[in-house]
């Protein structure tokens, strides 16, 4: 069986890859350092495996049909009997970073206020850089009819890692059936 050259997803994959590129560029020179890993990752939950080197990700949360006047809410339009084939799709993505969490020293002393605040500042810097990449750059993409940034929330601490992730929804103008009305 021949494998395709790349994903056959014209809707979510290109948006995820572009957001990864933008987030990676925005995080270059971040307060916590440029993340060693920046990738589109699979799954509902992110495997945070390299936080101490800095880890950034984009994950595809869900994709659903949408009407322009109702974005970012989905729709339930029937697709049979002359219904709309769905020229507009919403792609919800999670974009985030993880860094080392301050931890007790070898003597069992808890992290200092300075260490805790530095870690919080690094994540706030990451969050701000990601917000700017979404609000100032992703909105310029030709396939992005509209961009909605949702909550940005904390991740962890867990396993010595702490992070943040923003939910971003992009309304695309990609028709999954090729030419409008085609099949």
């Amino acid at each position: 069986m021949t494998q395709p050259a790349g994903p056959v997803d014209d809707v979510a994959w290109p948006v995820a890859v572009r957001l990864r590129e933008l987030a990676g560029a925005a995080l270059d020179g971040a307060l916590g350092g440029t993340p060693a890993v920046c990738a589109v990752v699979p799954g509902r939950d992110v495997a945070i495996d390299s936080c101490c080197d800095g880890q950034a990700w984009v994950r595809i949360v869900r994709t659903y049909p949408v009407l322009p006047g109702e974005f970012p809410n989905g729709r339930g339009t029937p697709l049979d009997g002359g219904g709309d084939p769905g020229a507009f799709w919403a792609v919800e993505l999670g974009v985030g970073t993880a860094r080392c969490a301050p931890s007790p020293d070898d003597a069992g002393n808890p992290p200092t206020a300075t260490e805790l605040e530095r870690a919080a500042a690094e994540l706030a810097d990451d969050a701000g850089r990601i917000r700017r990449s979404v609000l100032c750059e992703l909105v310029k993409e030709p396939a992005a009819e509209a961009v909605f940034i949702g909550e940005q929330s904390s991740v962890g601490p867990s396993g010595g890692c702490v992070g943040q992730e923003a939910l971003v929804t992009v309304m695309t103008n990609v028709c999954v059936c090729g030419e409008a009305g085609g099949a």
Side-chain angles (χ1 to χ4, degrees):
M1 182 165 153
T2 305
Q3 294 294 321
V8 186
D9 178 8
D10 296 334
V11 177
W13 185 254
V15 176
V17 168
R18 184 62 182 139
L19 182 54
R20 187 241 320 134
E21 292 168 351
L22 292 170
L27 292 164
D28 187 30
L31 185 61
T34 302
V37 174
C38 184
V40 177
V41 300
R44 182 180 62 102
D45 298 316
V46 177
I48 300 176
D49 297 323
S50 54
C51 66
C52 289
D53 295 324
Q55 182 174 347
W57 64 85
V58 172
R59 64 187 179 93
I60 300 169
V61 176
R62 63 188 178 135
T63 304
Y64 55 93
V66 65
L67 292 171
E70 297 174 4
F71 176 76
N73 298 319
R75 66 176 183 178
T77 303
L79 300 180
D80 58 345
D84 180 355
F88 293 98
W89 290 87
V91 179
E92 186 176 16
L93 305 157
V95 54
T97 59
R99 307 279 183 180
C100 268
S103 58
D105 64 19
D106 292 339
N109 299 310
T112 65
T114 301
E115 292 169 328
L116 292 169
E117 196 161 303
R118 172 65 188 207
E122 290 175 358
L123 290 177
D125 181 63
D126 289 351
R129 288 167 181 266
I130 286 172
R131 270 193 306 273
R132 282 188 296 281
S133 70
V134 169
L135 296 172
C136 303
E137 300 301 325
L138 188 60
V139 297
K140 297 176 186 176
E141 291 301 309
E145 289 288 321
V147 176
F148 177 85
I149 189 165
E151 72 177 47
Q152 200 158 16
S153 56
S154 296
V155 176
S158 178
C161 299
V162 66
Q164 58 77 41
E165 182 183 66
L167 293 177
V168 176
T169 308
V170 177
M171 183 174 69
T172 68
N173 54 18
V174 177
C175 181
V176 299
C177 298
E179 294 297 318

